[in-house]
Amino acid sequence: MVRRTVEGHTRTEEQAVPDVLWVLPYAVMALVVVANLIAGPIVGLLPLVSLGPAFAGLVGGWRRTVLVGLIALVAGVGLGIYSQLFEERRGYASLAAVAGVTAVGVAGSVMRQRREAELAGMRSIAEVAQRVLLRPVPRSAGHLRAAVSYTSAVAEARIGGDLYEVVSSPEGVRVIIGDVQGKGLESVETAAVVLGAFREAAHDEPDLKGVGARIERAVGRALEGEKFVTAIIAELDPANGAVFLNYGHPPPLLVCADGSVSFPEPDQYALPLGLGLGSGEGPRPFRVAFAPGDQLLLYTDGVTEARDRTGAFYPLGARTLFLKDPDPEAALETLRRDLILHTEGPLHDDAAMLLLRHRE
């Protein structure tokens, strides 16, 4: 596999195209010529050289398709003379077919390039929106080191409904991770509402319960119907460990310095954001010990619900060995790669992971 730049427009990253697609037109035409020479002049394979320009339109630009078409015409003339096809109209009709296929291939190549250019523009806009919505988390926040990983299930857009943020406040480091129901632009707008409310409340509210209430009110105003957001909001400080509010979200993964692993859960789960129906009863805060050397991994269900070919879920609790790397970003990248290897293909849901380490 090699990487080649698609001709005709600017891409933020190169498109990977197998070598076989680049050599296929020439290989097919060569095979037709050799087969015709072996079979003899009685068997006229001239029309088959049109397969060259037909395959040329799959990759590369229109100029390449024109070049392959010219080569096909030259080869067709040679085969026509060899097979004595120009003594009758069949030879000229075959060359006309080659020229026609070349013209169709050129038109298809131009249309493909335009679609790729539009897609590249959409990807660029999505990347800008992603950077605005999900800003890079600080590598160091208070007594914590942080790293984040985000893998969108929609590769063309690179943006989805998962959200995360880390804010240093007077009360400690406050973090959020969430998953908006649904896909597309609507889920991105909802994620923006949640993050905007959290960033304001994390600095203003004296306790975590107030942060959650502010977010609930903002989401209640923004969402309609049965839309909802699962989320975990946490507050971490050296003296009191970690305090969580869980709005129907998968429990965090806690890896203690001694190697023990647990998934802290509340006594009773609360409804996701947007389904509180204005009751004003949010989740009950619960506290977990978080000491120097401990690690906390917050994630969305795109991680734990990723399946392999047999239907088995990703065993996150058994993969904590990947978090031993001293660099939290490298550790999280290793875990992300293992997740993709588990699915043996693209993820079916967005997967966000936020790793927090209590510095020694």
Side-chain angles (χ1 to χ4, degrees), residues 305-330:
E305 294 183 1
R307 298 173 181 260
D308 62 11
R309 290 185 177 179
T310 66
F313 291 110
Y314 183 68
L316 180 61
R319 295 294 197 267
T320 56
L321 70 160
F322 296 123
L323 300 178
K324 294 182 178 180
D325 194 300
D327 183 359
E329 291 185 349

Side-chain angles (χ1 to χ4, degrees), residues 191-341:
V193 170
V194 175
L195 287 174
F198 172 77
R199 288 163 181 161
E200 290 293 327
H203 289 287
D204 298 340
E205 296 295 332
D207 59 76
L208 197 62
K209 188 77 172 177
V211 176
R214 286 267 294 270
I215 297 174
E216 281 191 281
R217 290 194 295 270
V219 172
R221 291 191 297 267
L223 293 184
E224 297 180 355
E226 298 181 352
K227 298 292 184 180
F228 61 87
V229 182
T230 66
I232 285 183
I233 307 173
E235 180 180 282
L236 304 97
D237 69 82
N240 299 314
V243 181
F244 297 98
L245 292 176
N246 193 318
Y247 292 87
H249 198 78
L253 170 65
L254 177 63
V255 183
C256 295
D258 60 6
S260 60
V261 177
S262 63
F263 291 87
E265 298 187 61
D267 296 334
Q268 183 178 358
Y269 274 88
L271 292 173
L273 295 165
L275 295 183
L277 304 179
S279 63
E281 295 182 4
R284 296 179 181 177
F286 66 100
R287 190 178 304 275
V288 175
F290 191 60
D294 292 351
Q295 299 186 79
L296 186 67
L297 180 68
L298 306 176
Y299 55 90
T300 58
D301 58 10
V303 176
T304 51
E305 294 183 1
R307 298 173 181 260
D308 62 11
R309 290 185 177 179
T310 66
F313 291 110
Y314 183 68
L316 180 61
R319 295 294 197 267
T320 56
L321 70 160
F322 296 123
L323 300 178
K324 294 182 178 180
D325 194 300
D327 183 359
E329 291 185 349
L332 206 54
E333 175 61 18
T334 303
L335 184 62
R336 188 191 71 85
R337 291 179 180 177
D338 183 69
L339 174 65
I340 295 176
L341 287 176

Side-chain angles (χ1 to χ4, degrees), residues 42-83:
I42 299 178
V43 180
L45 300 180
L46 190 160
L48 293 182
V49 297
S50 61
L51 292 175
F55 287 129
L58 297 176
V59 296
W62 63 269
R63 294 182 181 85
R64 177 173 178 271
T65 305
V66 171
L67 175 62
V68 174
L70 292 175
I71 295 175
L73 287 174
V74 172
V77 171
L79 290 179
I81 295 174
Y82 173 73
S83 301

Side-chain angles (χ1 to χ4, degrees), residues 24-163:
L24 183 61
Y26 308 104
V28 168
M29 291 187 295
L31 181 62
V32 170
V33 171
V34 172
N36 202 153
L37 293 177
I38 293 177
I42 299 178
V43 180
L45 300 180
L46 190 160
L48 293 182
V49 297
S50 61
L51 292 175
F55 287 129
L58 297 176
V59 296
W62 63 269
R63 294 182 181 85
R64 177 173 178 271
T65 305
V66 171
L67 175 62
V68 174
L70 292 175
I71 295 175
L73 287 174
V74 172
V77 171
L79 290 179
I81 295 174
Y82 173 73
S83 301
Q84 299 179 353
L85 297 179
F86 295 120
E87 296 179 0
E88 49 187 291
R89 296 179 179 177
R90 187 173 52 153
Y92 298 101
S94 298
L95 288 181
V98 174
V101 172
T102 300
V104 172
V106 170
S109 178
V110 171
M111 294 177 62
R112 175 179 53 78
Q113 284 185 290
R114 289 178 179 175
R115 288 195 299 269
E116 289 175 348
E118 293 174 357
L119 178 59
M122 293 175 60
R123 288 172 61 132
S124 299
I125 294 172
E127 288 172 355
V128 173
Q130 186 85 322
R131 288 195 295 268
V132 172
L133 178 64
L134 298 178
R135 300 178 302 199
V137 301
R139 294 175 60 92
S140 178
H143 62 297
L144 302 176
R145 296 183 65 192
V148 70
S149 170
Y150 186 97
T151 305
S152 175
V154 185
E156 292 82 1
R158 295 187 178 178
I159 192 168
D162 287 2
L163 57 98

